[in-house]
């Protein structure tokens, strides 16, 4: 198993993530895994009790996890949001912009390459969950 990359200051959540169905059937789980075909909005009523939401990326071509991350962050989720599966270096910067702050790739990623990927595009054109000010707002002063 490849070691997860975390970009958070709090302690790593050790409880295994349960499936969405299992989570909805119990009251004590604090970690859940969303598959790419599951609706993140089902978790909105429970965001205050979740410490970890892991979103599956079964293949790099499946971008539904980006939308799920945005929905969860826009709904106020503050816990760890982990992208798991076919996470590629070319996508990791965009994943951070959507709100992912942890990554569990199927294959190891070079930490130096990850840091370069985060800096690859110093300006953005739209608001996102990473808090960067869009370039149009910078131009206006």
């Amino acid at each position: 198993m490849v070691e997860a990359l975390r970009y958070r200051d709090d302690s790593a959540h050790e409880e295994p993530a349960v499936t969405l169905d299992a989570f909805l059937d119990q009251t004590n789980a604090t970690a859940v895994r969303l598959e790419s075909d599951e609706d993140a909005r089902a978790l909105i009523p429970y965001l205050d009790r979740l410490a970890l939401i892991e979103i599956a990326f079964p293949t790099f071509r499946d971008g539904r996890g980006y939308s799920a991350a945005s929905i969860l962050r826009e709904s106020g989720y503050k816990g760890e949001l982990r992208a798991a599966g076919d996470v590629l270096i070319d996508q990791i910067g965009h994943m951070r912009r959507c709100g992912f702050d942890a990554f569990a790739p199927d294959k190891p990623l070079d930490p130096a390459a990850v840091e370069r990927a985060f800096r690859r595009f110093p300006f953005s054109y739209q608001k996102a969950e990473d808090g960067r000010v869009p370039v149009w707002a910078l131009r206006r002063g």
Side-chain angles (χ1 to χ4, degrees):
M1 170 127 185
V2 176
E3 185 174 330
L5 303 168
R6 284 185 91 245
Y7 298 91
R8 296 180 59 88
D9 294 331
D10 57 350
S11 299
H13 189 74
E14 299 298 329
E15 180 183 329
V18 298
T19 66
L20 178 60
D21 288 340
F23 175 79
L24 295 173
D25 286 342
Q26 57 185 293
T27 60
N28 61 345
T30 59
V32 65
R33 177 180 170 94
L34 277 180
E35 297 301 328
S36 61
D37 62 344
E38 294 175 324
D39 191 345
R41 293 172 291 190
L43 294 174
I44 291 173
Y46 311 101
L47 295 180
D48 60 334
R49 80 170 203 206
L50 284 165
L52 167 66
I53 300 174
E54 184 176 276
I55 298 178
F57 282 84
T59 175
F60 73 90
R61 290 180 292 253
D62 190 342
R64 293 176 284 184
Y66 293 92
S67 298
S70 293
I71 287 167
L72 294 166
R73 289 298 189 205
E74 289 169 6
S75 297
Y77 181 62
K78 302 290 185 213
E80 182 175 330
L81 192 56
R82 182 184 301 160
D86 199 14
V87 175
L88 303 180
I89 198 76
D90 295 344
Q91 299 169 308
I92 206 161
H94 302 294
M95 289 177 168
R96 278 298 298 267
R97 297 227 55 228
C98 290
F100 287 103
D101 52 19
F103 305 90
D106 287 341
K107 297 176 184 166
L109 298 177
D110 175 23
V114 170
E115 291 304 319
R116 285 192 304 274
F118 289 152
R119 294 188 310 268
R120 184 169 294 134
F121 301 107
F123 299 104
S124 60
Y125 290 95
Q126 63 282 107
K127 293 180 183 178
E129 295 303 315
D130 65 357
R132 292 189 342 203
V133 177
V135 69
W136 56 265
L138 293 173
R139 288 182 187 146
R140 291 185 182 163

